[in-house]
Amino acid sequence: MRPSGRAIDALRPVFIQTGFARHAEGSALIRMGGTEVLCAASVEMRVPSFLRGRGQGWVTAEYGMLPRATHSRGPREAAKGRQSGRTQEIQRLIARSLRAVTDLKALGEISITVDCDVLNADGGTRCAAITGAWVALRLALETLVRAGTLDTVPLRGQVAAVSCGLTEDGAVLDLDYREDSNARADSNFVLTADGGIVEIQGTAEQDPFTEAEFNTLMRLARTGTAELFRIQTATVEEALKA
């Protein structure tokens, strides 16, 4: 058994609460075990200058961690006057993941920014952010449809993300911080519900891992994201009933 008592192919408990950010057009507070991320989607009826006049929209994201999201206090990046390379890399990943399933032409000249703020970190914050951000984006787009701004929701599908790694217990799904910090290899898989791959980030922390081991991680990721897609769908359906 893993330190958490989970089976190797088991996610941590996942819960998504919608409407947490009351003023946002769409929002979702996602909990994956001890990791909690608030995702809030904001709509602007304009696009960046490089897209003006092109008849298409834009979806982007920003990511940040609260000072006590981790075991010791981290300084606010605003106080330092710059974002870390890690923060920039993660928020670009979130944005790419959302754009991969959004029909930007059908969106029209509208911009949506999804802010992903980590309240508590226990591993897999970027994966939780992507999974929750899709729910926030979906609800923001539904707001535009209900207002008559859009005819239909301009999404081509769902996107979610999960981590997998090679530990002393072998290949495991959805690493928490304790497992992640001791893994000999860890990977983040960003996948779509129709079987597509948006991005895979894989790193060997010690010896290189094999193709067979990677394929095992990929199978675990498919199992994990299938459950995340089910949770996303159920969450959105429940929110739209309200």
Side-chain angles (χ1 to χ4, degrees):
M1 296 296 292
R2 300 161 67 179
S4 62
R6 289 181 286 143
I8 60 171
D9 60 350
L11 292 170
R12 292 173 288 177
V14 180
F15 174 75
I16 304 177
Q17 177 184 348
T18 60
F20 192 86
R22 290 178 293 172
H23 302 294
E25 283 78 9
S27 68
L29 175 64
I30 181 168
R31 298 185 179 98
M32 295 185 69
T35 291
E36 296 179 302
V37 184
L38 174 58
C39 306
S42 300
V43 174
E44 294 181 282
M45 306 306 292
R46 58 187 178 87
V47 292
S49 58
F50 67 89
L51 284 176
R52 287 177 193 158
R54 296 191 179 185
Q56 73 173 64
W58 187 244
V59 176
T60 189
E62 294 192 10
Y63 169 93
M65 296 183 69
L66 294 187
R68 277 317 300 267
T70 56
H71 297 93
S72 59
R73 184 183 188 277
R76 295 182 188 274
E77 293 188 335
K80 296 191 295 184
R82 60 181 177 84
Q83 290 180 315
S84 69
R86 176 183 181 275
T87 294
Q88 294 180 54
E89 181 249 325
I90 292 176
Q91 64 189 25
R92 288 168 182 161
L93 172 63
I94 298 168
R96 287 195 302 272
S97 301
L98 297 176
R99 289 196 294 270
V101 293
T102 303
D103 186 340
L104 297 177
K105 283 288 187 183
L107 179 59
E109 294 201 359
I110 296 172
S111 294
I112 300 178
T113 301
V114 184
D115 290 290
C116 300
D117 292 293
V118 180
L119 310 183
N120 288 294
D122 186 26
T125 61
R126 72 188 66 195
C127 295
I130 290 168
T131 303
W134 182 87
V135 174
L137 174 63
R138 172 69 175 80
L139 295 176
L141 292 170
E142 183 65 32
T143 298
L144 291 172
V145 171
R146 291 185 174 185
T149 306
L150 295 175
D151 294 329
T152 59
V153 172
L155 285 177
R156 294 190 290 262
Q158 290 171 247
V159 66
V162 72
S163 65
C164 299
L166 300 172
T167 70
E168 60 183 12
D169 298 305
V172 299
L173 174 68
D174 190 20
L175 285 73
D176 57 26
Y177 176 77
R178 180 177 174 183
E179 288 180 316
D180 183 63
S181 60
N182 292 295
R184 69 178 182 89
D186 62 272
S187 301
N188 298 303
F189 293 82
V190 185
L191 307 176
T192 63
D194 61 0
I197 298 171
V198 176
E199 190 155 335
I200 298 172
Q201 302 174 328
T203 304
E205 301 293 344
Q206 300 173 22
D207 296 330
F209 55 95
T210 67
E211 183 175 343
E213 288 173 320
F214 171 80
N215 290 335
T216 300
L217 296 177
M218 186 71 190
R219 287 193 294 271
L220 286 173
R222 293 286 189 197
T223 298
T225 52
E227 177 63 10
L228 292 175
F229 294 136
R230 185 195 67 78
I231 294 170
Q232 286 177 330
T233 299
T235 299
V236 169
E237 289 178 349
E238 187 64 27
L240 296 182
K241 291 178 183 177

